[in-house]
Amino acid sequence: NAGVTQTPKFQVLKTGQSMTLQCAQDMNHNSMYWYRQDPGMGLRLIYYSASEGTTDKGEVPNGYNVSRLNKREFSLRLESAAPSQTSVYFCASSELSSNNSPLHFGNGTRLTVT
Amino acid sequence: GDSVTQMEGPVTLSEEAFLTINCTYTATGYPSLFWYVQYPGEGLQLLLKATKADDKGSNKGFEATYRKETTSFHLEKGSVQVSDSAVYFCALRSNFGNEKLTFGTGTRLTIIP
């Protein structure tokens, strides 16, 4: 039961470098999400994909891009990393976009930008 | 917009103590309410949920009741264990076609033997 799998688990980047965070789910869920978690701020939504082929901005999309590659995979790209993007990133999925469908989370990627 | 306010931590209790973590919310319409738990080094896991007023969610000895009149969803457990040490997040999801799950800032709970 893999659920939601994120890679890598840890990453250190220099300012200006780029990278892609990978996420895959094996639950046949329609909706996928990217959140960032910062101390004292809870989780904030970066981007989401309600269904395959669609993506939308969340609360804090600046500096990020996403790709819903297929139903299983949803990647997050940082084109030019900044120290403000140091955070823990979580991918999540849900079966439906309805309000009573819970989110299932991966174990996170801890990113440090120096 | 939607918001969730939860009890700031950290909270430290002795084993077998009674736990309450307060959560209140602001939302239009009739959101669904959730409690998630995050153990060290892991992602968030759904602990319990309630989808309409007066519903009680429960799991692993934890309970929370959706109180529309007080816009609250407080988390309770009668007798905590060391294994309950974690960070707890209250969250809501709007019923207006909004994809967003809005989280509180989290409450770190430590249980000492």
Side-chain angles (χ1 to χ4, degrees):
Chain A
N1 292 340
V4 179
T5 303
Q6 291 183 235
T7 56
K9 292 186 177 181
F10 301 95
Q11 183 71 49
V12 178
L13 293 177
K14 295 186 187 307
T15 298
Q17 288 185 315
S18 62
M19 79 161 294
T20 299
L21 281 65
Q22 307 288 352
C23 175
Q25 52 90 10
D26 62 1
M27 296 173 283
N28 201 36
H29 284 173
N30 290 302
S31 302
M32 298 185 74
Y33 311 81
W34 277 104
Y35 282 85
R36 60 178 288 173
Q37 183 180 28
D38 301 291
M41 303 189 75
L43 279 79
R44 293 180 292 169
L45 182 65
I46 305 171
Y47 270 93
Y48 65 94
S49 171
S51 61
E52 187 178 354
T54 68
T55 61
D56 286 286
K57 295 178 179 180
E59 292 177 83
V60 288
N62 292 345
Y64 305 95
N65 285 299
V66 291
S67 295
R68 184 74 182 266
L69 305 169
N70 47 56
K71 191 171 186 180
R72 289 187 64 248
E73 298 173 286
F74 188 41
S75 61
L76 178 72
R77 182 159 179 85
L78 286 71
E79 290 292 350
S80 179
S84 60
Q85 294 178 305
T86 293
S87 188
V88 181
Y89 292 84
F90 288 99
C91 178
S93 68
S94 68
E95 183 177 3
L96 301 171
S97 59
S98 65
N99 70 324
N100 61 5
S101 182
L103 270 60
H104 299 260
F105 286 83
N107 285 338
T109 295
R110 185 175 294 276
L111 175 67
T112 302
V113 183
T114 61
Chain B
D2 297 343
S3 67
V4 175
T5 302
Q6 67 179 99
M7 178 176 177
E8 288 194 19
V11 174
T12 302
L13 295 173
S14 297
E15 204 166 21
E16 300 183 3
F18 184 87
L19 169 70
T20 301
I21 300 178
N22 290 337
C23 172
T24 58
Y25 67 90
T26 301
T28 51
Y30 303 93
S32 290
L33 302 174
F34 304 86
W35 276 101
Y36 282 83
V37 58
Q38 184 179 31
Y39 298 104
E42 297 184 10
L44 280 71
Q45 303 173 25
L46 178 67
L47 181 60
L48 53 83
K49 71 174 186 180
T51 58
K52 60 183 187 296
D54 299 326
D55 264 4
K56 178 185 284 188
S58 61
N59 186 27
K60 299 181 181 179
F62 291 89
E63 293 184 339
T65 302
Y66 188 163
R67 301 284 188 202
K68 188 163 176 62
E69 64 276 14
T70 54
T71 62
S72 65
F73 192 54
H74 304 321
L75 182 68
E76 296 181 336
K77 186 174 185 182
S79 176
V80 291
Q81 306 300 314
V82 172
S83 57
D84 293 327
S85 298
V87 181
Y88 292 81
F89 291 90
C90 185
L92 72 81
R93 194 166 187 184
S94 170
N95 67 332
F96 282 117
N98 189 341
E99 286 290 332
K100 180 180 167 183
L101 191 66
T102 300
F103 286 89
T105 54
T107 302
R108 182 175 298 278
L109 173 66
T110 301
I111 308 301
I112 54 177

